[in-house]
Amino acid sequence: MINQIKQTKPWHKLWQSLSGLTLLLFIGFAVNFGMSLAFSGNSLAAEAELTKAADFSLQDEAGNKLSLGDFKGKPLVLHFWATWCPYCKKLQPGLDKLRLANVATDLQMLAISFNEDEGAMPSQTLKERGIGINTVINGESAARAYGVQGTPTTVFINRSGEIVWQTKISDPNSPELARAVAFILQKE
C-alpha cells in the first residue's frame, strides 16, 4: 500500500498542477472576457479601475504635432499599426467604417504608426487603402507608454481620458469594436 501511494503521488502532483493551471487560465479568460464586456452595458462596473491614458506628443508626416491633450474631453480611438502588418490592413476598413458611421459625433480616431521599415510612408499607405484615419509616425514611445506589444492594437479612451478597453482584435466586423465605440461616445 505504501508503494501504491508513492506511485500515485506524482500523478496527484501533476493533477494539482494542471488544476492550478486550469484555474489560472479560467481566471485569465474571465478577466479578459469581463473587460470585453465592461463597456457593453450603460456603464462600467463600479469596481472597475480605469487607467488614465498616457500622454504623447507625435508628428504626422507633414510635421504637425498631435498630443493626447488635443483630444481632451472627446472619446478617442487609438490604432497602433505598421504599414507591413497584414492584420492592420485587415482591421483598418472596419475602423474607418466606425469612424464614418460616427462622423456626426465628436468621436476622434488616430492611427499611430510605429516599428516601421525604412522609407515607409504611413499616411500615403492609408490613403492608398482608402482609409481616412489621420496617422502620426514614429510612435514607438507612445506604443511603450500604452504597453503595446504587437500590431494591431486598438485603445478606446473615454471622455475623461481613461482607457476603457485595449484589444488586439483584427476582425474588421467584430461587434466588440462597435460596442466599445458606443460606450466611449456616452456622455459621462
Side-chain angles (χ1 to χ4, degrees):
M1 185 164 210
I2 292 175
N3 287 340
Q4 188 176 16
I5 291 172
K6 285 183 180 177
Q7 289 175 355
T8 59
K9 267 193 170 181
W11 172 252
H12 181 70
K13 285 183 180 182
L14 177 62
W15 177 251
Q16 283 180 327
S17 296
L18 289 176
S19 296
L21 180 60
T22 303
L23 180 62
L24 285 174
L25 288 172
F26 176 76
I27 290 170
F29 174 77
V31 168
N32 187 34
F33 185 70
M35 279 303 292
S36 69
L37 295 179
F39 52 81
S40 65
N42 290 330
S43 64
L44 285 169
E47 67 273 3
E49 271 190 48
L50 299 179
T51 305
K52 279 289 193 190
D55 196 12
F56 60 84
S57 181
L58 300 169
Q59 294 182 351
D60 62 16
E61 288 177 26
N64 301 312
K65 284 188 179 184
L66 280 172
S67 68
L68 182 66
D70 295 326
F71 304 99
K72 187 175 183 177
K74 296 179 182 175
L76 174 63
V77 177
L78 297 178
H79 168 55
F80 289 89
W81 74 291
T83 56
W84 49 262
C85 170
Y87 300 104
C88 301
K89 184 177 182 178
K90 178 182 172 185
L91 174 63
Q92 288 164 349
L95 291 176
D96 204 41
K97 183 177 172 184
L98 288 170
R99 180 187 65 82
L100 292 170
N102 292 285
V103 75
T105 70
D106 60 346
L107 177 68
Q108 304 294 301
M109 212 173 268
L110 180 66
I112 299 178
S113 170
F114 75 107
N115 199 21
E116 289 290 3
D117 293 330
E118 183 78 27
M121 307 216 31
S123 293
Q124 182 178 338
T125 299
L126 287 181
K127 192 175 287 186
E128 289 170 358
R129 292 177 183 171
I131 306 300
I133 302 170
N134 291 331
T135 190
V136 290
I137 59 173
N138 301 319
E140 287 78 7
S141 62
R144 279 190 303 278
Y146 282 84
V148 173
Q149 296 181 357
T151 58
T153 297
T154 308
V155 181
F156 296 83
I157 301 170
N158 66 17
R159 296 173 188 281
S160 297
E162 300 162 322
I163 297 172
V164 298
W165 191 41
Q166 184 165 324
T167 183
K168 292 183 180 184
I169 287 176
S170 63
D171 177 2
N173 301 310
S174 172
E176 296 294 316
L177 299 172
R179 282 198 289 263
V181 166
F183 182 79
I184 63 174
L185 277 169
Q186 294 176 3
K187 301 286 183 193
E188 296 179 355

